[in-house]
PDB file of all heavy atoms in Angstrom:
ATOM      1  N   ALA F   1    -179.115 -33.921  74.207  1.00 87.00           N
ATOM      2  CA  ALA F   1    -179.834 -34.786  73.274  1.00 87.00           C
ATOM      3  C   ALA F   1    -181.250 -35.064  73.750  1.00 87.00           C
ATOM      4  O   ALA F   1    -182.215 -34.991  72.975  1.00 87.00           O
ATOM      5  CB  ALA F   1    -179.067 -36.098  73.093  1.00 87.00           C
ATOM      6  N   LEU F   2    -181.403 -35.374  75.036  1.00 88.00           N
ATOM      7  CA  LEU F   2    -182.732 -35.689  75.553  1.00 88.00           C
ATOM      8  C   LEU F   2    -183.602 -34.442  75.675  1.00 88.00           C
ATOM      9  O   LEU F   2    -184.832 -34.519  75.570  1.00 88.00           O
ATOM     10  CB  LEU F   2    -182.613 -36.405  76.900  1.00 88.00           C
ATOM     11  CG  LEU F   2    -182.039 -37.823  76.821  1.00 88.00           C
ATOM     12  CD1 LEU F   2    -182.004 -38.471  78.196  1.00 88.00           C
ATOM     13  CD2 LEU F   2    -182.848 -38.682  75.866  1.00 88.00           C
ATOM     14  N   THR F   3    -182.984 -33.282  75.895  1.00 86.00           N
ATOM     15  CA  THR F   3    -183.757 -32.040  75.886  1.00 86.00           C
ATOM     16  C   THR F   3    -184.308 -31.776  74.485  1.00 86.00           C
ATOM     17  O   THR F   3    -185.484 -31.410  74.320  1.00 86.00           O
ATOM     18  CB  THR F   3    -182.885 -30.854  76.332  1.00 86.00           C
ATOM     19  OG1 THR F   3    -182.401 -31.097  77.657  1.00 86.00           O
ATOM     20  CG2 THR F   3    -183.675 -29.559  76.330  1.00 86.00           C
ATOM     21  N   THR F   4    -183.468 -31.976  73.478  1.00 87.00           N
ATOM     22  CA  THR F   4    -183.914 -31.818  72.088  1.00 87.00           C
ATOM     23  C   THR F   4    -185.045 -32.784  71.769  1.00 87.00           C
ATOM     24  O   THR F   4    -186.060 -32.408  71.166  1.00 87.00           O
ATOM     25  CB  THR F   4    -182.737 -32.060  71.126  1.00 87.00           C
ATOM     26  OG1 THR F   4    -181.673 -31.165  71.447  1.00 87.00           O
ATOM     27  CG2 THR F   4    -183.158 -31.838  69.685  1.00 87.00           C
ATOM     28  N   PHE F   5    -184.874 -34.039  72.175  1.00 88.00           N
ATOM     29  CA  PHE F   5    -185.903 -35.059  71.923  1.00 88.00           C
ATOM     30  C   PHE F   5    -187.208 -34.684  72.622  1.00 88.00           C
ATOM     31  O   PHE F   5    -188.298 -34.808  72.051  1.00 88.00           O
ATOM     32  CB  PHE F   5    -185.406 -36.420  72.417  1.00 88.00           C
ATOM     33  CG  PHE F   5    -186.334 -37.561  72.121  1.00 88.00           C
ATOM     34  CD1 PHE F   5    -186.239 -38.263  70.936  1.00 88.00           C
ATOM     35  CD2 PHE F   5    -187.312 -37.945  73.030  1.00 88.00           C
ATOM     36  CE1 PHE F   5    -187.095 -39.315  70.652  1.00 88.00           C
ATOM     37  CE2 PHE F   5    -188.170 -38.986  72.762  1.00 88.00           C
ATOM     38  CZ  PHE F   5    -188.061 -39.682  71.563  1.00 88.00           C
ATOM     39  N   SER F   6    -187.100 -34.211  73.865  1.00 86.00           N
ATOM     40  CA  SER F   6    -188.297 -33.885  74.642  1.00 86.00           C
ATOM     41  C   SER F   6    -189.083 -32.745  74.012  1.00 86.00           C
ATOM     42  O   SER F   6    -190.313 -32.813  73.882  1.00 86.00           O
ATOM     43  CB  SER F   6    -187.894 -33.514  76.076  1.00 86.00           C
ATOM     44  OG  SER F   6    -189.007 -33.124  76.840  1.00 86.00           O
ATOM     45  N   ILE F   7    -188.382 -31.685  73.605  1.00 85.00           N
ATOM     46  CA  ILE F   7    -189.075 -30.535  73.020  1.00 85.00           C
ATOM     47  C   ILE F   7    -189.662 -30.887  71.649  1.00 85.00           C
ATOM     48  O   ILE F   7    -190.775 -30.473  71.306  1.00 85.00           O
ATOM     49  CB  ILE F   7    -188.111 -29.344  72.917  1.00 85.00           C
ATOM     50  CG1 ILE F   7    -187.712 -28.881  74.330  1.00 85.00           C
ATOM     51  CG2 ILE F   7    -188.726 -28.194  72.139  1.00 85.00           C
ATOM     52  CD1 ILE F   7    -186.684 -27.783  74.369  1.00 85.00           C
ATOM     53  N   ALA F   8    -188.913 -31.689  70.870  1.00 86.00           N
ATOM     54  CA  ALA F   8    -189.421 -32.104  69.558  1.00 86.00           C
ATOM     55  C   ALA F   8    -190.667 -32.973  69.688  1.00 86.00           C
ATOM     56  O   ALA F   8    -191.515 -32.999  68.781  1.00 86.00           O
ATOM     57  CB  ALA F   8    -188.332 -32.854  68.798  1.00 86.00           C
ATOM     58  N   ASN F   9    -190.806 -33.693  70.805  1.00 83.00           N
ATOM     59  CA  ASN F   9    -191.992 -34.513  71.059  1.00 83.00           C
ATOM     60  C   ASN F   9    -193.283 -33.705  70.953  1.00 83.00           C
ATOM     61  O   ASN F   9    -194.330 -34.219  70.553  1.00 83.00           O
ATOM     62  CB  ASN F   9    -191.920 -35.094  72.481  1.00 83.00           C
ATOM     63  CG  ASN F   9    -191.442 -36.535  72.477  1.00 83.00           C
ATOM     64  OD1 ASN F   9    -191.900 -37.339  71.683  1.00 83.00           O
ATOM     65  ND2 ASN F   9    -190.523 -36.846  73.362  1.00 83.00           N
ATOM     66  N   ASP F  10    -193.196 -32.439  71.367  1.00 78.00           N
ATOM     67  CA  ASP F  10    -194.403 -31.616  71.436  1.00 78.00           C
ATOM     68  C   ASP F  10    -195.080 -31.468  70.077  1.00 78.00           C
ATOM     69  O   ASP F  10    -196.298 -31.303  69.996  1.00 78.00           O
ATOM     70  CB  ASP F  10    -194.060 -30.228  71.985  1.00 78.00           C
ATOM     71  CG  ASP F  10    -193.729 -30.273  73.469  1.00 78.00           C
ATOM     72  OD1 ASP F  10    -194.027 -31.296  74.109  1.00 78.00           O
ATOM     73  OD2 ASP F  10    -193.167 -29.287  73.975  1.00 78.00           O
ATOM     74  N   ILE F  11    -194.279 -31.502  69.009  1.00 79.00           N
ATOM     75  CA  ILE F  11    -194.856 -31.306  67.676  1.00 79.00           C
ATOM     76  C   ILE F  11    -195.859 -32.410  67.365  1.00 79.00           C
ATOM     77  O   ILE F  11    -196.995 -32.152  66.928  1.00 79.00           O
ATOM     78  CB  ILE F  11    -193.735 -31.258  66.617  1.00 79.00           C
ATOM     79  CG1 ILE F  11    -192.829 -30.047  66.875  1.00 79.00           C
ATOM     80  CG2 ILE F  11    -194.323 -31.215  65.213  1.00 79.00           C
ATOM     81  CD1 ILE F  11    -191.648 -29.958  65.942  1.00 79.00           C
ATOM     82  N   ALA F  12    -195.459 -33.674  67.594  1.00 78.00           N
ATOM     83  CA  ALA F  12    -196.359 -34.793  67.302  1.00 78.00           C
ATOM     84  C   ALA F  12    -197.569 -34.765  68.218  1.00 78.00           C
ATOM     85  O   ALA F  12    -198.703 -35.013  67.776  1.00 78.00           O
ATOM     86  CB  ALA F  12    -195.601 -36.111  67.456  1.00 78.00           C
ATOM     87  N   LYS F  13    -197.348 -34.445  69.497  1.00 80.00           N
ATOM     88  CA  LYS F  13    -198.477 -34.422  70.434  1.00 80.00           C
ATOM     89  C   LYS F  13    -199.427 -33.270  70.113  1.00 80.00           C
ATOM     90  O   LYS F  13    -200.640 -33.367  70.338  1.00 80.00           O
ATOM     91  CB  LYS F  13    -197.948 -34.350  71.870  1.00 80.00           C
ATOM     92  CG  LYS F  13    -197.310 -35.668  72.325  1.00 80.00           C
ATOM     93  CD  LYS F  13    -196.761 -35.614  73.735  1.00 80.00           C
ATOM     94  CE  LYS F  13    -195.434 -34.921  73.811  1.00 80.00           C
ATOM     95  NZ  LYS F  13    -194.791 -35.044  75.135  1.00 80.00           N
ATOM     96  N   TYR F  14    -198.882 -32.206  69.561  1.00 78.00           N
ATOM     97  CA  TYR F  14    -199.731 -31.091  69.117  1.00 78.00           C
ATOM     98  C   TYR F  14    -200.667 -31.566  68.010  1.00 78.00           C
ATOM     99  O   TYR F  14    -201.877 -31.287  68.034  1.00 78.00           O
ATOM    100  CB  TYR F  14    -198.836 -29.959  68.620  1.00 78.00           C
ATOM    101  CG  TYR F  14    -199.568 -28.832  67.929  1.00 78.00           C
ATOM    102  CD1 TYR F  14    -200.070 -27.766  68.654  1.00 78.00           C
ATOM    103  CD2 TYR F  14    -199.742 -28.838  66.544  1.00 78.00           C
ATOM    104  CE1 TYR F  14    -200.743 -26.728  68.019  1.00 78.00           C
ATOM    105  CE2 TYR F  14    -200.412 -27.806  65.904  1.00 78.00           C
ATOM    106  CZ  TYR F  14    -200.903 -26.757  66.646  1.00 78.00           C
ATOM    107  OH  TYR F  14    -201.570 -25.736  66.012  1.00 78.00           O
ATOM    108  N   PHE F  15    -200.111 -32.287  67.034  1.00 77.00           N
ATOM    109  CA  PHE F  15    -200.938 -32.788  65.933  1.00 77.00           C
ATOM    110  C   PHE F  15    -201.921 -33.859  66.397  1.00 77.00           C
ATOM    111  O   PHE F  15    -202.918 -34.123  65.724  1.00 77.00           O
ATOM    112  CB  PHE F  15    -200.047 -33.356  64.819  1.00 77.00           C
ATOM    113  CG  PHE F  15    -199.504 -32.318  63.894  1.00 77.00           C
ATOM    114  CD1 PHE F  15    -198.242 -31.804  64.078  1.00 77.00           C
ATOM    115  CD2 PHE F  15    -200.270 -31.841  62.845  1.00 77.00           C
ATOM    116  CE1 PHE F  15    -197.738 -30.834  63.223  1.00 77.00           C
ATOM    117  CE2 PHE F  15    -199.773 -30.869  61.984  1.00 77.00           C
ATOM    118  CZ  PHE F  15    -198.502 -30.356  62.172  1.00 77.00           C
ATOM    119  N   ALA F  16    -201.672 -34.484  67.532  1.00 77.00           N
ATOM    120  CA  ALA F  16    -202.593 -35.500  68.044  1.00 77.00           C
ATOM    121  C   ALA F  16    -203.738 -34.875  68.820  1.00 77.00           C
ATOM    122  O   ALA F  16    -204.906 -35.263  68.653  1.00 77.00           O
ATOM    123  CB  ALA F  16    -201.835 -36.492  68.933  1.00 77.00           C
ATOM    124  N   ILE F  17    -203.461 -33.888  69.665  1.00 76.00           N
ATOM    125  CA  ILE F  17    -204.463 -33.395  70.616  1.00 76.00           C
ATOM    126  C   ILE F  17    -205.259 -32.208  70.083  1.00 76.00           C
ATOM    127  O   ILE F  17    -206.491 -32.164  70.214  1.00 76.00           O
ATOM    128  CB  ILE F  17    -203.781 -33.026  71.945  1.00 76.00           C
ATOM    129  CG1 ILE F  17    -203.229 -34.293  72.608  1.00 76.00           C
ATOM    130  CG2 ILE F  17    -204.756 -32.337  72.881  1.00 76.00           C
ATOM    131  CD1 ILE F  17    -202.563 -34.058  73.936  1.00 76.00           C
ATOM    132  N   ILE F  18    -204.580 -31.227  69.482  1.00 76.00           N
ATOM    133  CA  ILE F  18    -205.285 -30.011  69.062  1.00 76.00           C
ATOM    134  C   ILE F  18    -206.419 -30.313  68.072  1.00 76.00           C
ATOM    135  O   ILE F  18    -207.541 -29.811  68.239  1.00 76.00           O
ATOM    136  CB  ILE F  18    -204.296 -28.980  68.477  1.00 76.00           C
ATOM    137  CG1 ILE F  18    -203.311 -28.522  69.559  1.00 76.00           C
ATOM    138  CG2 ILE F  18    -205.045 -27.783  67.902  1.00 76.00           C
ATOM    139  CD1 ILE F  18    -203.952 -27.861  70.757  1.00 76.00           C
ATOM    140  N   PRO F  19    -206.191 -31.126  67.018  1.00 78.00           N
ATOM    141  CA  PRO F  19    -207.320 -31.440  66.130  1.00 78.00           C
ATOM    142  C   PRO F  19    -208.455 -32.143  66.867  1.00 78.00           C
ATOM    143  O   PRO F  19    -209.634 -31.906  66.591  1.00 78.00           O
ATOM    144  CB  PRO F  19    -206.696 -32.351  65.069  1.00 78.00           C
ATOM    145  CG  PRO F  19    -205.252 -32.010  65.085  1.00 78.00           C
ATOM    146  CD  PRO F  19    -204.937 -31.692  66.506  1.00 78.00           C
ATOM    147  N   ALA F  20    -208.076 -33.022  67.837  1.00 71.00           N
ATOM    148  CA  ALA F  20    -209.107 -33.745  68.579  1.00 71.00           C
ATOM    149  C   ALA F  20    -209.955 -32.791  69.417  1.00 71.00           C
ATOM    150  O   ALA F  20    -211.156 -33.015  69.607  1.00 71.00           O
ATOM    151  CB  ALA F  20    -208.455 -34.799  69.477  1.00 71.00           C
ATOM    152  N   MET F  21    -209.363 -31.725  69.891  1.00 69.00           N
ATOM    153  CA  MET F  21    -210.076 -30.794  70.755  1.00 69.00           C
ATOM    154  C   MET F  21    -210.935 -29.804  69.976  1.00 69.00           C
ATOM    155  O   MET F  21    -212.023 -29.419  70.411  1.00 69.00           O
ATOM    156  CB  MET F  21    -209.071 -30.027  71.632  1.00 69.00           C
ATOM    157  CG  MET F  21    -208.301 -30.898  72.611  1.00 69.00           C
ATOM    158  SD  MET F  21    -207.045 -29.975  73.507  1.00 69.00           S
ATOM    159  CE  MET F  21    -208.038 -28.825  74.417  1.00 69.00           C
ATOM    160  N   PHE F  22    -210.475 -29.369  68.790  1.00 68.00           N
ATOM    161  CA  PHE F  22    -211.139 -28.258  68.112  1.00 68.00           C
ATOM    162  C   PHE F  22    -211.800 -28.615  66.787  1.00 68.00           C
ATOM    163  O   PHE F  22    -212.468 -27.779  66.189  1.00 68.00           O
ATOM    164  CB  PHE F  22    -210.126 -27.133  67.859  1.00 68.00           C
ATOM    165  CG  PHE F  22    -209.749 -26.382  69.090  1.00 68.00           C
ATOM    166  CD1 PHE F  22    -208.566 -26.676  69.760  1.00 68.00           C
ATOM    167  CD2 PHE F  22    -210.570 -25.385  69.594  1.00 68.00           C
ATOM    168  CE1 PHE F  22    -208.213 -25.978  70.888  1.00 68.00           C
ATOM    169  CE2 PHE F  22    -210.219 -24.678  70.732  1.00 68.00           C
ATOM    170  CZ  PHE F  22    -209.041 -24.979  71.390  1.00 68.00           C
ATOM    171  N   ALA F  23    -211.586 -29.833  66.309  1.00 64.00           N
ATOM    172  CA  ALA F  23    -212.140 -30.169  64.996  1.00 64.00           C
ATOM    173  C   ALA F  23    -213.654 -30.081  64.985  1.00 64.00           C
ATOM    174  O   ALA F  23    -214.271 -29.781  63.957  1.00 64.00           O
ATOM    175  CB  ALA F  23    -211.679 -31.564  64.571  1.00 64.00           C
ATOM    176  N   GLY F  24    -214.286 -30.345  66.152  1.00 62.00           N
ATOM    177  CA  GLY F  24    -215.741 -30.254  66.214  1.00 62.00           C
ATOM    178  C   GLY F  24    -216.232 -28.838  66.043  1.00 62.00           C
ATOM    179  O   GLY F  24    -217.333 -28.597  65.540  1.00 62.00           O
ATOM    180  N   ILE F  25    -215.425 -27.869  66.493  1.00 63.00           N
ATOM    181  CA  ILE F  25    -215.802 -26.455  66.375  1.00 63.00           C
ATOM    182  C   ILE F  25    -215.358 -25.904  65.022  1.00 63.00           C
ATOM    183  O   ILE F  25    -216.109 -25.192  64.343  1.00 63.00           O
ATOM    184  CB  ILE F  25    -215.173 -25.642  67.522  1.00 63.00           C
ATOM    185  CG1 ILE F  25    -215.658 -26.177  68.866  1.00 63.00           C
ATOM    186  CG2 ILE F  25    -215.489 -24.161  67.377  1.00 63.00           C
ATOM    187  CD1 ILE F  25    -215.004 -25.518  70.043  1.00 63.00           C
ATOM    188  N   TYR F  26    -214.118 -26.248  64.666  1.00 66.00           N
ATOM    189  CA  TYR F  26    -213.581 -25.803  63.388  1.00 66.00           C
ATOM    190  C   TYR F  26    -213.273 -27.038  62.539  1.00 66.00           C
ATOM    191  O   TYR F  26    -212.174 -27.592  62.613  1.00 66.00           O
ATOM    192  CB  TYR F  26    -212.303 -24.984  63.595  1.00 66.00           C
ATOM    193  CG  TYR F  26    -212.494 -23.745  64.431  1.00 66.00           C
ATOM    194  CD1 TYR F  26    -212.058 -23.695  65.750  1.00 66.00           C
ATOM    195  CD2 TYR F  26    -213.120 -22.622  63.889  1.00 66.00           C
ATOM    196  CE1 TYR F  26    -212.236 -22.547  66.516  1.00 66.00           C
ATOM    197  CE2 TYR F  26    -213.302 -21.472  64.653  1.00 66.00           C
ATOM    198  CZ  TYR F  26    -212.858 -21.445  65.965  1.00 66.00           C
ATOM    199  OH  TYR F  26    -213.043 -20.317  66.729  1.00 66.00           O
ATOM    200  N   PRO F  27    -214.228 -27.507  61.747  1.00 72.00           N
ATOM    201  CA  PRO F  27    -214.030 -28.735  60.957  1.00 72.00           C
ATOM    202  C   PRO F  27    -212.785 -28.692  60.082  1.00 72.00           C
ATOM    203  O   PRO F  27    -212.173 -29.728  59.817  1.00 72.00           O
ATOM    204  CB  PRO F  27    -215.311 -28.802  60.110  1.00 72.00           C
ATOM    205  CG  PRO F  27    -216.320 -28.057  60.913  1.00 72.00           C
ATOM    206  CD  PRO F  27    -215.585 -26.942  61.568  1.00 72.00           C
ATOM    207  N   SER F  28    -212.382 -27.514  59.675  1.00 72.00           N
ATOM    208  CA  SER F  28    -211.197 -27.432  58.815  1.00 72.00           C
ATOM    209  C   SER F  28    -209.930 -27.891  59.530  1.00 72.00           C
ATOM    210  O   SER F  28    -208.951 -28.297  58.893  1.00 72.00           O
ATOM    211  CB  SER F  28    -211.013 -25.996  58.311  1.00 72.00           C
ATOM    212  OG  SER F  28    -210.870 -25.095  59.408  1.00 72.00           O
ATOM    213  N   LEU F  29    -209.941 -27.852  60.871  1.00 69.00           N
ATOM    214  CA  LEU F  29    -208.761 -28.296  61.636  1.00 69.00           C
ATOM    215  C   LEU F  29    -208.565 -29.807  61.556  1.00 69.00           C
ATOM    216  O   LEU F  29    -207.511 -30.316  61.938  1.00 69.00           O
ATOM    217  CB  LEU F  29    -208.886 -27.873  63.101  1.00 69.00           C
ATOM    218  CG  LEU F  29    -208.663 -26.386  63.405  1.00 69.00           C
ATOM    219  CD1 LEU F  29    -208.848 -26.120  64.893  1.00 69.00           C
ATOM    220  CD2 LEU F  29    -207.289 -25.942  62.953  1.00 69.00           C
ATOM    221  N   ASP F  30    -209.605 -30.504  61.046  1.00 72.00           N
ATOM    222  CA  ASP F  30    -209.452 -31.958  60.919  1.00 72.00           C
ATOM    223  C   ASP F  30    -208.336 -32.320  59.942  1.00 72.00           C
ATOM    224  O   ASP F  30    -207.803 -33.427  59.980  1.00 72.00           O
ATOM    225  CB  ASP F  30    -210.777 -32.578  60.464  1.00 72.00           C
ATOM    226  CG  ASP F  30    -210.745 -34.097  60.531  1.00 72.00           C
ATOM    227  OD1 ASP F  30    -210.500 -34.625  61.635  1.00 72.00           O
ATOM    228  OD2 ASP F  30    -210.917 -34.743  59.474  1.00 72.00           O
ATOM    229  N   ARG F  31    -207.949 -31.359  59.102  1.00 75.00           N
ATOM    230  CA  ARG F  31    -206.833 -31.615  58.187  1.00 75.00           C
ATOM    231  C   ARG F  31    -205.522 -31.825  58.942  1.00 75.00           C
ATOM    232  O   ARG F  31    -204.588 -32.437  58.433  1.00 75.00           O
ATOM    233  CB  ARG F  31    -206.685 -30.443  57.222  1.00 75.00           C
ATOM    234  CG  ARG F  31    -207.895 -30.221  56.313  1.00 75.00           C
ATOM    235  CD  ARG F  31    -207.740 -28.942  55.518  1.00 75.00           C
ATOM    236  NE  ARG F  31    -208.942 -28.651  54.726  1.00 75.00           N
ATOM    237  CZ  ARG F  31    -209.126 -27.528  54.035  1.00 75.00           C
ATOM    238  NH1 ARG F  31    -208.185 -26.576  54.067  1.00 75.00           N
ATOM    239  NH2 ARG F  31    -210.234 -27.335  53.341  1.00 75.00           N
ATOM    240  N   LEU F  32    -205.460 -31.257  60.161  1.00 74.00           N
ATOM    241  CA  LEU F  32    -204.244 -31.445  60.967  1.00 74.00           C
ATOM    242  C   LEU F  32    -204.163 -32.825  61.605  1.00 74.00           C
ATOM    243  O   LEU F  32    -203.129 -33.201  62.158  1.00 74.00           O
ATOM    244  CB  LEU F  32    -204.172 -30.375  62.061  1.00 74.00           C
ATOM    245  CG  LEU F  32    -204.039 -28.924  61.593  1.00 74.00           C
ATOM    246  CD1 LEU F  32    -204.029 -27.993  62.793  1.00 74.00           C
ATOM    247  CD2 LEU F  32    -202.787 -28.745  60.751  1.00 74.00           C
ATOM    248  N   ASN F  33    -205.255 -33.561  61.549  1.00 74.00           N
ATOM    249  CA  ASN F  33    -205.257 -34.919  62.114  1.00 74.00           C
ATOM    250  C   ASN F  33    -204.571 -35.864  61.133  1.00 74.00           C
ATOM    251  O   ASN F  33    -205.175 -36.786  60.578  1.00 74.00           O
ATOM    252  CB  ASN F  33    -206.695 -35.367  62.394  1.00 74.00           C
ATOM    253  CG  ASN F  33    -206.756 -36.719  63.100  1.00 74.00           C
ATOM    254  OD1 ASN F  33    -205.749 -37.212  63.614  1.00 74.00           O
ATOM    255  ND2 ASN F  33    -207.935 -37.324  63.093  1.00 74.00           N
ATOM    256  N   VAL F  34    -203.281 -35.605  60.916  1.00 75.00           N
ATOM    257  CA  VAL F  34    -202.531 -36.355  59.904  1.00 75.00           C
ATOM    258  C   VAL F  34    -202.370 -37.824  60.271  1.00 75.00           C
ATOM    259  O   VAL F  34    -202.137 -38.666  59.409  1.00 75.00           O
ATOM    260  CB  VAL F  34    -201.146 -35.713  59.681  1.00 75.00           C
ATOM    261  CG1 VAL F  34    -201.294 -34.334  59.058  1.00 75.00           C
ATOM    262  CG2 VAL F  34    -200.362 -35.642  60.982  1.00 75.00           C
ATOM    263  N   MET F  35    -202.490 -38.149  61.564  1.00 77.00           N
ATOM    264  CA  MET F  35    -202.368 -39.549  61.986  1.00 77.00           C
ATOM    265  C   MET F  35    -203.690 -40.297  61.855  1.00 77.00           C
ATOM    266  O   MET F  35    -203.729 -41.503  62.057  1.00 77.00           O
ATOM    267  CB  MET F  35    -201.862 -39.615  63.434  1.00 77.00           C
ATOM    268  CG  MET F  35    -200.404 -39.226  63.592  1.00 77.00           C
ATOM    269  SD  MET F  35    -199.830 -39.322  65.305  1.00 77.00           S
ATOM    270  CE  MET F  35    -200.311 -37.720  65.904  1.00 77.00           C
TER     271      MET F  35
END
């Protein structure tokens, strides 16, 4: 259960960090900043 929870965590953190890192270069990625 905790392994499943841990791996699923990555999805939300992906949507948090990747847009923050690349939106300045690729403005279209700002759409991924759903939060």
Side-chain angles (χ1 to χ4, degrees):
L2 291 182
T3 300
T4 303
F5 184 89
S6 177
I7 294 176
N9 260 314
D10 289 345
I11 297 176
K13 288 179 281 189
Y14 171 88
F15 278 97
I17 294 181
I18 296 300
M21 296 175 64
F22 287 99
I25 300 175
Y26 300 105
S28 59
L29 286 179
D30 189 58
R31 297 173 185 173
L32 296 178
N33 185 14
V34 294
M35 288 180 274

